[in-house]
Amino acid sequence: MAERPRVADWKTDFDHLSDEWAAKSPEILAELREECPVAQTERFWGAYLVSRHADIVETARDTETFSNRITVINDNHPDNIGLELPPITLDPPEHGPIRRALLPSFSPKSTDELEPKVVAMAERLLDATEGRDVVDGAIDYAQLLPIDVMGYLFGVSPEMGPSFRRWADAMLKEGLGDLEIARTAAREVQEFFASQLREREEQGDDAPDDLVSTVLRAQAELPDGDSRPFGRKERIGALFVLMLGGIDTTWSTLGSMLFHLGSHPDDLQRLVAEPDLMPAAIEEFLRFYSPATIARYITDDAEIAGCPVSEGKRLLLSYPSANRDPDYFDQPDDFVLDRDDNRHMAFGVGVHRCLGSNLARMELRVGLSAWLERYPRFELAVEPHEVAWSIGPIRGPRSVPLRVLK
Ligand code: HEM
């Protein structure tokens, strides 16, 4: 990404696309929660950042004033609404029918049926790392598993993996500061899914039972109880958002999990000795390292926590910050492997709450369990501060070199 002017003061000049943010956002957010819960920057045409749990819940629930028509803040002008990616870029009442049509593919039942396949994918990736002294938990594993899973769900060739990866990076990282990169990638993704949809259409009744076929057949309910097929743009947009939503978020969390265990030997030892802790541990990883920060577009002048916010500007809802709010969690900056009653907000809140959360939790559990079975003892091969974190709305470690211990 191009060089950006250094931030002078995070309360009045924040830049969530800067290297400093990527490296230190938990510390920056702690300061904002304490001193300036609704920060405004002069960058990005005057965007806001909301950091306290209660304010984030309230803002996310007011879908009329805080619209999802924009969900990332890039260098684009706020009037340029960008891609239509239903359901995430739709507000009620249009949002519900599209979301409900997609939900069955991500139900607990669908996820359970997929699980053995994901176990096999994880094993295959781990087989490829056998015999090495150092394995990169992010590059060689975490970043590959969700791509394999989504490719399988879409029913596309495994050879598309590198393209999925390049597209996710272009849309959610480099493309935020260089709009031409994002535009080129968006065009490629749209052409790709358009050709997949055409193929399924031509196959008719012989089309495989995959997500592309599901979206092709999907029906959005109408207010009178009748239903209609998705339009062409809705089909392509829905496949696009499933690809983007399903890849980077999950790989970032799995990468963070391996980073944490590689740098906290007590937690590693305990999780290996007590595998029943896995479900609670997954929730704590999601809370502590929650990756996704999502934007909203302000449709009317309003107030958040007594601070005025203006129509036509955008704001960031920091779910990671909500998850470290001491007014909501006890000792939020402590990682507690068996934390009870962990009602975190990593998957968001309100009508747009993550549609893929069942799938994500399964991938994280399977991905980590398979790793721990293969490599029960390992340690970070660099100092924790040497690990670089990604820039953009999805935060995760870019590389996690792990030394395998015998
Ligand atoms: C650890 C992994 C994941 C995290 C942390 C995560 C996080 C989130 C968050 C915070 C939102 C709320 C957006 C908002 O407030 O506007 C969201 C929505 C969404 N996520 Fe996820 N996600 C993950 C995995 C997945 C997976 C695996 C899929 C599907 C393949 C997926 C698909 C979606 C979709 C389609 C939406 C939009 C839902 C709607 O607008 O109704 N996500 N996700």
Side-chain angles (χ1 to χ4, degrees), residues 233-244:
K233 265 181 145 178
E234 285 172 331
R235 287 176 179 151
I236 294 177
L239 290 166
F240 199 142
V241 75
L242 289 172
M243 185 204 73
L244 275 190

Side-chain angles (χ1 to χ4, degrees), residues 199-385:
E199 225 174 78
R200 302 296 183 287
E201 224 159 358
E202 283 161 14
Q203 288 166 317
D205 290 345
D206 297 331
D209 187 17
D210 54 32
L211 259 185
V212 180
S213 298
T214 303
V215 167
L216 184 65
R217 292 192 302 260
Q219 295 278 327
E221 73 212 24
L222 293 166
D224 63 6
D226 215 348
S227 60
R228 60 156 182 91
F230 282 20
R232 179 186 141 81
K233 265 181 145 178
E234 285 172 331
R235 287 176 179 151
I236 294 177
L239 290 166
F240 199 142
V241 75
L242 289 172
M243 185 204 73
L244 275 190
I247 289 181
D248 208 328
T249 46
T250 315
W251 96 37
S252 297
T253 313
L254 187 53
S256 297
M257 288 156 75
L258 293 173
F259 162 79
H260 180 90
L261 294 174
S263 49
H264 294 81
D266 292 352
D267 284 337
L268 173 60
Q269 224 176 358
R270 187 159 176 223
L271 192 55
V272 170
E274 300 174 57
D276 289 354
L277 288 181
M278 187 59 89
I282 300 281
E283 298 312 308
E284 182 66 345
F285 284 123
L286 279 163
R287 182 190 73 83
F288 197 85
Y289 292 98
S290 79
T293 299
I294 312 280
R296 296 289 189 260
Y297 177 84
I298 306 171
T299 62
D300 204 354
D301 289 351
E303 274 193 6
I304 302 173
C307 304
V309 296
S310 311
E311 176 187 347
K313 297 190 185 298
R314 295 166 293 185
L315 60 79
L316 285 173
L317 290 183
S318 177
Y319 295 129
S321 179
N323 284 339
R324 299 283 192 105
D325 188 335
D327 284 343
Y328 193 79
F329 290 98
D330 282 343
Q331 300 183 303
D333 291 324
D334 291 350
F335 182 94
V336 181
L337 198 66
D338 56 357
R339 186 181 283 271
D340 277 345
D341 195 22
N342 191 347
R343 279 177 293 163
H344 63 73
M345 224 194 270
F347 292 118
V349 64
V351 297
H352 292 281
R353 194 183 171 282
C354 182
L355 184 124
S357 61
N358 295 312
L359 172 62
R361 285 190 164 110
M362 183 271 278
E363 282 183 60
L364 296 174
R365 177 171 46 76
V366 166
L368 184 58
S369 304
W371 175 283
L372 292 181
E373 223 163 90
R374 189 76 58 114
Y375 300 124
R377 296 185 62 235
F378 61 93
E379 64 183 15
L380 199 60
V382 295
E383 291 300 318
H385 68 83

